[in-house]
Amino acid sequence: MATDELQDEYPVRIDLTAPVHFDRIQLLVRALILVAFGMIHESGSGLFACLYVVLPAVAAVLITHRGGAGYLERDAAWLVSVLEWVVGFYAYMLFVTDTFPLDTRERAIRLRVSVAGTPTVGRALLRLVTSVPHLIVLAFVGLASFVISVIAAVGILLFERYPEPLRAFQQDVAAWIARLFAYHACLVQAYPPLAFSDGIRSKPRTPDEPVRPSVTEGA
């Protein structure tokens, strides 16, 4: 497993393996996913809203049984793994990556969290309130992201790529979601920045390059 330390000020980042070009067939896969799941990415009652509520609740229940230190020691690893899949799903649907995050070894995104803090039940549940500003801002960011996704779909259909500045915006959206969900899961104590922040390490991937596994690091 990779052991390099996080370089960002905020203890959550994603390592991204950027596609050289996008596969047109993946446009159809995304369309089928949206149909099958009732457009859960854009729905206000979909995946984001569910996780916004569920993550603090799950953290509160586990903290009740294990205590704050026990929660971080016993549950942080599998929670990071779950959140990595969620962030990978969003990155795929936002045209940041071009690989659906099924196989752990083949994921184009790795969520890296420097686990820290002293979580309590009260702090976990309070995050439902303290994160409301993020919920409001991301509602507007989501509108822009949706428009960019449409542009991306057209660009990929015609040219198998779309403008890099637009993809950079989508990457920042994915990183924002990663920071917010890690905070909601009480994996970190620091309040996430209410703005775009450099939380991505991105590089092109060669065909034979292995994907590094997720890392959960203690503070």
Side-chain angles (χ1 to χ4, degrees):
M1 298 179 89
T3 57
D4 52 303
E5 296 181 356
L6 300 180
Q7 300 297 320
D8 252 350
E9 290 183 4
Y10 196 75
V12 178
R13 71 175 300 127
I14 58 178
D15 286 353
L16 168 66
T17 303
V20 177
H21 62 81
F22 289 83
D23 187 351
R24 292 186 179 97
I25 195 65
Q26 294 299 323
L27 294 175
L28 176 60
V29 175
R30 290 178 177 91
L32 292 175
I33 291 172
L34 290 176
V35 171
F37 290 94
M39 299 192 70
I40 59 175
H41 175 68
E42 303 300 338
S43 171
S45 59
L47 180 61
F48 183 91
C50 288
L51 288 173
Y52 184 91
V53 174
V54 167
L55 286 173
V58 169
V61 170
L62 292 174
I63 292 168
T64 298
H65 289 281
R66 308 193 197 282
Y71 167 70
L72 293 182
E73 180 181 352
R74 298 175 61 181
D75 297 303
W78 70 264
L79 278 168
V80 169
S81 181
V82 170
L83 292 181
E84 180 180 271
W85 184 90
V86 171
V87 175
F89 173 80
Y90 272 99
Y92 176 75
M93 299 305 293
L94 291 173
F95 299 99
V96 175
T97 67
D98 207 34
T99 305
F100 192 81
L102 281 179
D103 189 337
T104 303
R105 296 168 299 177
E106 295 297 326
R107 288 178 184 170
I109 273 186
R110 292 296 169 192
L111 178 61
R112 301 175 63 81
V113 180
S114 183
V115 175
T118 52
T120 65
V121 173
R123 286 176 180 172
L125 297 178
L126 187 60
R127 295 182 186 204
L128 292 168
V129 177
T130 57
S131 294
V132 166
H134 284 272
L135 195 63
I136 295 172
V137 174
L138 282 174
F140 291 98
V141 171
L143 293 176
S145 182
F146 173 74
V147 173
I148 290 174
S149 293
V150 174
I151 296 172
V154 174
I156 292 168
L157 183 62
L158 297 177
F159 309 110
E160 294 188 326
R161 64 184 63 201
Y162 68 104
E164 183 59 31
L166 299 185
R167 192 160 71 89
F169 179 88
Q170 301 290 67
Q171 289 177 0
D172 287 338
V173 173
W176 194 328
I177 292 171
R179 291 191 296 271
L180 179 60
F181 282 163
Y183 174 73
H184 257 223
C186 291
L187 297 175
V188 295
Q189 188 160 307
Y191 190 78
L194 193 64
F196 286 123
S197 176
D198 182 17
I200 296 180
R201 183 185 296 127
S202 176
K203 65 185 181 68
R205 181 182 173 193
T206 58
D208 58 345
E209 178 184 358
V211 179
R212 293 183 299 165
S214 304
V215 177
T216 304
E217 299 173 344

